[in-house]
Amino acid sequence: RRCSYLAPPAAAPPEAAEAGLRPRLKLTPTATDEEFKTVFEAAGGREPAEPAAAGDGWTWKELLSSMDEAPPSDESLASLLIGEIEAMGVDAAALLPRPRIDEIAAAIHGGDTTSAADIVRRLAPAAIRRLSRRMLSDRRMRAQAERYVRRYQDLWTETVNRGDSGVMAAALLGSDQGRAYLLLDAALGEVA
């Protein structure tokens, strides 16, 4: 326990005052670390952390908060996830340069999705780990990422089925949305 020095000093014996000695301090116990943590988290605008629930189920708070929110549209989902990736300090354009995008697009266009995912993991291992950890702790982001990856895979399949050239496929993956897809797909592969 910690002690507080804010308590008023006790009266000193008369002989101590004559000798020029200071009076003794009265020490009183203060709050525990958990009580301080709760106060400072509340003051910082964050809610106090709830104790970990047994199992892997939803808490009432998560369940009720998820009911109020409508899922974002496909267009806003892309910009939302790109913003989340950038907020985590991941620069997708720097990690996945154009020559590597062409290599990944050729692998996917040839039907070799595992080597494409391996290329992404080799180019951005720290970013993939950071994204996968975030998805493990943030269920909403994981659900949004899964939805985005499914939609982008459907778009990719539609492009390939139309018989578009590899150049169109590389352009699809070379966009900000395509780079986000590659990173999120590789991160989901790590989580699963």
Side-chain angles (χ1 to χ4, degrees):
R1 298 193 71 94
R2 296 193 175 149
C3 296
S4 172
Y5 295 99
L6 299 177
E15 58 273 353
E18 291 172 10
L21 300 175
R22 293 185 189 169
R24 288 186 172 189
L25 292 175
K26 182 179 177 186
L27 303 176
T28 58
T30 61
T32 64
D33 288 338
E34 282 300 317
E35 292 169 328
F36 277 115
K37 185 178 175 184
T38 304
V39 169
F40 286 121
E41 284 179 347
R46 294 183 295 179
E47 296 181 19
E50 295 180 11
D56 200 24
W58 286 53
T59 64
W60 280 105
K61 183 178 178 183
E62 291 173 337
L63 181 64
L64 293 174
S65 67
S66 68
M67 291 174 59
D68 295 339
E69 301 170 7
S73 67
D74 290 342
E75 296 81 23
S76 63
L77 182 62
S79 61
L80 176 75
L81 287 172
I82 290 170
E84 288 285 335
I85 291 170
E86 289 172 353
M88 293 174 66
V90 176
D91 185 4
L95 292 172
L96 302 171
R98 188 65 189 186
R100 296 298 183 185
I101 292 290
D102 294 338
E103 182 181 345
I104 294 167
I108 294 175
H109 194 67
D112 191 8
T113 57
T114 56
S115 68
D118 289 340
I119 294 169
V120 174
R121 284 188 197 96
R122 191 176 61 240
L123 290 173
I128 300 301
R129 281 192 306 272
R130 190 175 303 146
L131 284 168
S132 62
R133 280 193 304 256
R134 173 75 186 275
M135 285 185 221
L136 284 172
S137 65
D138 189 349
R139 292 180 186 185
R140 183 182 315 146
M141 183 177 176
R142 182 175 180 175
Q144 291 171 345
E146 287 171 344
R147 180 176 155 214
Y148 181 73
V149 165
R150 276 193 310 271
R151 303 273 176 156
Y152 214 83
Q153 285 172 344
D154 291 344
L155 178 64
W156 177 267
T157 304
E158 180 182 318
T159 302
V160 170
N161 288 342
R162 278 195 315 227
D164 289 341
S165 68
V167 174
M168 181 62 181
L172 192 62
L173 291 178
S175 65
D176 289 339
Q177 294 85 359
R179 286 184 170 99
Y181 158 73
L182 291 171
L183 290 172
L184 292 171
D185 186 40
L188 285 169
E190 296 290 317
V191 171

